Amino acid sequence: MQYQPEVMPRGFNITREGAEKASLLVHFGWSTASFCVVDSRGGQVLMVGDAPMEDQSPGSLGKLIAACDFLGYSYEDVRVSVDTTHFTFVPLVHYNHVYLADYARFARQGAGESAHVERIPTAGLANVFAMDSGFYEALNLHFRSPKIFTQVSPFLNGARRISQSSVKWNIFVNLKPGAFEIAVIREDGLQYYNIFRFANAEEFNYFVLLVVRNFQLGNESTFLTLSGSIEENDVLFMILRKYFDSILMAPAEMIYNLPVPLRNQLPYRYYSLFSLQLCN
């Protein structure tokens, strides 16, 4: 596999010295990686990009950094998120780190995986997750003091940032290659979150309908915000249109200052990546 990145704007270049005054955000999916370089002083996005990856393994990470040498520079701040289905939520008020190993059983921790926790105060949750130990160690080896999260933390923090207080139900969907995240938020807080992997439009429709029926969501008091790899002429968008009348593309400019070339390149595609900046 060729780990050739696609970056915007084209011709982007940053020196090692420049990286020391910038932040790096990276997201690792199951088959792709997305990354963003931000001016730490002005909060302006300098570059966003994507690259294919074979899997979440130390070898794939090494190949990616070899193809994108700027990823290996020493940035002032590095934040990384990783897609996983191995997680479980614990109310933050009841979380006790002494019981991490016990919580990890509910996260379906597998052989060769280590248990970790991320706190999400905006949702009142501690997210206990399991990650391949070799990959976790490789992230710490290749990046300078990275803050490592799952996909859950940036997605929920980003959703909270743009929730509409005037409607009963806020639904958030983030599309990625072969998977999507969905969150249901009501006036009194988070009601539901999950990430689903799907092979085709029929499976996507099945999972969306599952959530719609479970919460008896109707058009009158429901607002859907979309982000990720989707456009208004996509078949997946048409499926969502069957269930929701009010649909908004996530406003990425609420987190970062975007230069004109990037404003014209579907910035909502990277809203969850940008939301890494909201994680602690």
Side-chain angles (χ1 to χ4, degrees), residues 8-10 44-46 48 258-267:
M8 297 180 292
R10 294 186 181 278
Q44 177 164 302
V45 173
L46 303 177
V48 293
L258 300 175
V260 173
L262 296 185
R263 289 180 205 161
N264 300 327
Q265 295 291 332
L266 310 179

Short mmCIF file of all heavy atoms in Angstrom, two decimals, residues 8-10 44-46 48 258-267:
data_model
loop_
_atom_site.label_atom_id
_atom_site.label_comp_id
_atom_site.label_asym_id
_atom_site.label_seq_id
_atom_site.Cartn_x
_atom_site.Cartn_y
_atom_site.Cartn_z
N MET A 8 -4.25 19.70 2.02
CA MET A 8 -4.75 21.00 1.59
C MET A 8 -4.19 22.06 2.53
O MET A 8 -4.26 21.86 3.76
CB MET A 8 -6.29 21.02 1.62
CG MET A 8 -6.96 20.04 0.67
SD MET A 8 -8.76 20.12 0.76
CE MET A 8 -9.07 19.45 2.41
N PRO A 9 -3.69 23.19 2.05
CA PRO A 9 -3.51 23.47 0.62
C PRO A 9 -2.34 22.67 0.04
O PRO A 9 -1.43 22.25 0.76
CB PRO A 9 -3.20 24.97 0.63
CG PRO A 9 -2.58 25.23 1.96
CD PRO A 9 -3.25 24.29 2.91
N ARG A 10 -2.39 22.45 -1.25
CA ARG A 10 -1.32 21.73 -1.92
C ARG A 10 -0.01 22.50 -1.80
O ARG A 10 0.01 23.73 -1.80
CB ARG A 10 -1.66 21.50 -3.40
CG ARG A 10 -2.85 20.58 -3.62
CD ARG A 10 -3.06 20.29 -5.09
NE ARG A 10 -4.21 19.42 -5.30
CZ ARG A 10 -4.19 18.11 -5.16
NH1 ARG A 10 -3.06 17.50 -4.82
NH2 ARG A 10 -5.28 17.39 -5.38
N GLN A 44 -4.96 29.41 13.71
CA GLN A 44 -5.36 29.21 12.31
C GLN A 44 -4.87 27.88 11.80
O GLN A 44 -3.74 27.48 12.03
CB GLN A 44 -4.80 30.33 11.41
CG GLN A 44 -5.13 30.12 9.93
CD GLN A 44 -4.94 31.36 9.11
OE1 GLN A 44 -5.55 32.40 9.37
NE2 GLN A 44 -4.08 31.28 8.10
N VAL A 45 -5.76 27.19 11.11
CA VAL A 45 -5.39 25.91 10.50
C VAL A 45 -4.43 26.18 9.34
O VAL A 45 -4.74 26.95 8.43
CB VAL A 45 -6.64 25.16 10.00
CG1 VAL A 45 -6.25 23.91 9.22
CG2 VAL A 45 -7.53 24.79 11.17
N LEU A 46 -3.28 25.52 9.37
CA LEU A 46 -2.30 25.68 8.30
C LEU A 46 -2.43 24.60 7.24
O LEU A 46 -2.14 24.83 6.08
CB LEU A 46 -0.88 25.64 8.90
CG LEU A 46 -0.56 26.67 9.98
CD1 LEU A 46 0.85 26.45 10.51
CD2 LEU A 46 -0.73 28.09 9.44
N VAL A 48 -4.67 20.56 6.44
CA VAL A 48 -5.39 19.34 6.80
C VAL A 48 -5.11 18.31 5.72
O VAL A 48 -4.82 18.67 4.57
CB VAL A 48 -6.92 19.55 6.93
CG1 VAL A 48 -7.24 20.43 8.11
CG2 VAL A 48 -7.50 20.12 5.64
N LEU A 258 -10.24 29.31 9.76
CA LEU A 258 -9.89 28.60 8.53
C LEU A 258 -9.54 29.58 7.43
O LEU A 258 -10.30 30.51 7.14
CB LEU A 258 -11.07 27.73 8.07
CG LEU A 258 -11.56 26.65 9.04
CD1 LEU A 258 -12.80 25.98 8.48
CD2 LEU A 258 -10.47 25.63 9.29
N PRO A 259 -8.40 29.40 6.76
CA PRO A 259 -8.07 30.24 5.61
C PRO A 259 -9.07 29.97 4.48
O PRO A 259 -9.69 28.91 4.42
CB PRO A 259 -6.66 29.80 5.23
CG PRO A 259 -6.52 28.43 5.79
CD PRO A 259 -7.37 28.39 7.03
N VAL A 260 -9.21 30.94 3.58
CA VAL A 260 -10.21 30.86 2.51
C VAL A 260 -10.13 29.56 1.72
O VAL A 260 -11.16 28.93 1.45
CB VAL A 260 -10.10 32.08 1.58
CG1 VAL A 260 -11.01 31.91 0.36
CG2 VAL A 260 -10.47 33.35 2.34
N PRO A 261 -8.93 29.09 1.29
CA PRO A 261 -8.90 27.85 0.51
C PRO A 261 -9.53 26.66 1.23
O PRO A 261 -10.13 25.80 0.59
CB PRO A 261 -7.39 27.62 0.30
CG PRO A 261 -6.79 28.97 0.41
CD PRO A 261 -7.60 29.67 1.46
N LEU A 262 -9.42 26.61 2.56
CA LEU A 262 -9.98 25.49 3.31
C LEU A 262 -11.47 25.66 3.57
O LEU A 262 -12.20 24.68 3.69
CB LEU A 262 -9.23 25.30 4.63
CG LEU A 262 -7.75 24.93 4.52
CD1 LEU A 262 -7.17 24.65 5.89
CD2 LEU A 262 -7.56 23.73 3.60
N ARG A 263 -11.95 26.90 3.63
CA ARG A 263 -13.39 27.12 3.81
C ARG A 263 -14.18 26.58 2.63
O ARG A 263 -15.34 26.22 2.75
CB ARG A 263 -13.68 28.62 3.96
CG ARG A 263 -13.20 29.22 5.26
CD ARG A 263 -13.53 30.69 5.31
NE ARG A 263 -12.62 31.41 6.19
CZ ARG A 263 -12.44 32.72 6.15
NH1 ARG A 263 -13.11 33.45 5.27
NH2 ARG A 263 -11.60 33.30 6.98
N ASN A 264 -13.55 26.55 1.48
CA ASN A 264 -14.21 26.08 0.26
C ASN A 264 -14.03 24.59 0.03
O ASN A 264 -14.41 24.07 -1.02
CB ASN A 264 -13.67 26.85 -0.95
CG ASN A 264 -13.91 28.34 -0.84
OD1 ASN A 264 -14.90 28.78 -0.27
ND2 ASN A 264 -12.99 29.14 -1.37
N GLN A 265 -13.45 23.86 0.99
CA GLN A 265 -13.16 22.44 0.82
C GLN A 265 -13.89 21.58 1.86
O GLN A 265 -13.29 20.73 2.50
CB GLN A 265 -11.64 22.21 0.91
CG GLN A 265 -10.84 22.86 -0.21
CD GLN A 265 -11.08 22.22 -1.55
OE1 GLN A 265 -11.40 21.04 -1.63
NE2 GLN A 265 -10.93 23.00 -2.60
N LEU A 266 -15.18 21.83 2.03
CA LEU A 266 -16.00 21.02 2.94
C LEU A 266 -15.35 20.89 4.33
O LEU A 266 -15.03 19.79 4.77
CB LEU A 266 -16.22 19.63 2.35
CG LEU A 266 -16.71 19.58 0.90
CD1 LEU A 266 -16.85 18.13 0.44
CD2 LEU A 266 -18.02 20.30 0.75
N PRO A 267 -15.15 22.00 5.04
CA PRO A 267 -14.46 21.95 6.33
C PRO A 267 -15.15 21.07 7.37
O PRO A 267 -14.49 20.58 8.29
CB PRO A 267 -14.41 23.42 6.77
CG PRO A 267 -15.52 24.09 6.03
CD PRO A 267 -15.59 23.38 4.71
#
